[in-house]
Amino acid sequence: MTTPLAALDWPVRTDRLELRLARSEDAAAIWPWYRLPAVQEWTTSWHTALEEHQAWWEDRLSLSVVGLRGERIVAVGKIEQQDAWSQADMVEQARGQQAELGWVLDPGVHGQGLGTEFAYALLRLAVEGIGVRRVEAHCFADNLASRRVLEKIGMRLEGVHREESLHRSGRWLDGMSWALLAAEHRDQQR
Ligand SMILES: CC(C)(COP(=O)(O)OP(=O)(O)OC[C@H]1O[C@@H](n2cnc3c(N)ncnc32)[C@H](O)[C@@H]1OP(=O)(O)O)[C@@H](O)C(=O)NCCC(=O)NCCS
């Protein structure tokens, strides 16, 4: 039995951030930094106009969480609850048993440990809040900052996928899959 993201006890506070569910108006608030090359270098989406960005954001509201430092949104994350793969007769038991995590920080606050703090909060929300049994995350192997965040929050590298992903630079890049079981997360906290 899992609890939907929207039904968790919001807001959630970490040492320096306040996390809450995303709202429509957040799209415009994050646009000034979300559009920057340092961010878009590694994001899946790529928008040149606020209208496109707003439409993309609306589609993601149900899985998006924002992190505020004071009044300002400095972090955007996703917790996408997913069905685990299963044999056909076990579909019901596998439903919603895992979550994919992702994060993007305002470049203005990079390098202060906030990415790690935010990512760890997302991990805890997925495992301790929603109650999934496994979390996953994916990154380009060249994204050293995100790799380091993944290591620091205790996730395990499960695979390096050779030239799996086409980057908008035109290069085929290695992709990486990371995961952590809820049981492993609990062991790490002991
Ligand atoms: C990845 C990201 C969230 C990190 O945010 P951050 O607030 O700077 O992260 P932190 O300050 O918590 O620290 C990140 C760690 O990565 C390291 N790091 C940062 N940039 C690095 C780089 N270019 N090469 C190697 N390590 C790097 C930091 O030194 C730190 O490790 P340390 O504590 O051992 O020194 C941020 O860079 C970002 O939003 N990037 C663009 C979007 C993105 O890549 N999202 C993830 C897609 S998978």
Side-chain angles (χ1 to χ4, degrees):
M1 194 60 185
T2 58
T3 306
L5 185 65
L8 302 183
D9 199 9
W10 300 99
V12 167
R13 292 192 175 78
T14 65
D15 283 350
R16 293 173 292 172
L17 297 170
E18 180 176 292
L19 278 66
R20 64 159 169 77
L21 292 170
R23 301 173 186 152
S24 273
E25 62 269 26
D26 298 337
I30 63 172
W31 177 238
W33 60 262
Y34 208 93
R35 62 189 299 197
L36 296 175
V39 172
Q40 303 227 345
E41 173 76 5
W42 300 120
T43 52
T44 307
S45 63
W46 185 68
H47 306 130
T48 52
L50 175 57
E51 293 68 29
E52 282 172 77
H53 171 74
Q54 182 79 50
W56 165 81
W57 184 253
E58 298 294 338
D59 284 345
R60 300 170 60 84
L61 281 179
S62 64
L63 49 87
S64 294
V65 171
V66 296
L68 289 91
R69 183 108 168 89
E71 300 289 301
R72 209 160 66 83
I73 300 174
V74 296
V76 170
K78 81 163 178 181
I79 304 178
E80 185 173 7
Q81 197 174 354
Q82 300 171 338
D83 300 337
W85 185 88
S86 74
Q87 290 177 305
D89 47 329
M90 298 302 284
V91 164
E92 277 313 314
Q93 291 91 324
R95 201 176 294 287
Q97 290 296 324
Q98 62 185 41
E100 185 180 330
L101 307 180
W103 40 78
V104 177
L105 271 277
D106 175 352
V109 302
H110 284 183
Q112 302 173 29
L114 288 172
T116 305
E117 189 171 320
F118 183 64
Y120 190 60
L122 297 180
L123 169 64
R124 291 192 61 188
L125 280 166
V127 171
E128 300 169 29
I130 297 174
V132 297
R133 63 179 302 281
R134 173 181 162 94
V135 291
E136 295 183 349
H138 307 278
C139 68
F140 285 114
D142 284 359
N143 189 349
L144 299 180
S146 204
R147 280 172 58 172
R148 184 74 189 116
V149 167
L150 284 153
E151 282 168 1
K152 289 181 76 175
I153 66 171
M155 289 187 67
R156 179 167 32 72
L157 179 62
E158 288 200 333
V160 180
H161 312 286
R162 197 75 194 276
E163 294 195 14
E164 171 208 44
S165 313
L166 182 58
H167 188 261
R168 60 176 62 91
S169 61
R171 288 179 303 142
W172 285 96
L173 299 183
D174 293 353
M176 284 182 156
S177 303
W178 301 72
L180 194 69
L181 297 176
E184 293 174 309
H185 169 69
R186 285 190 285 274
D187 283 348
Q188 288 173 357
Q189 286 188 315
R190 286 207 186 107

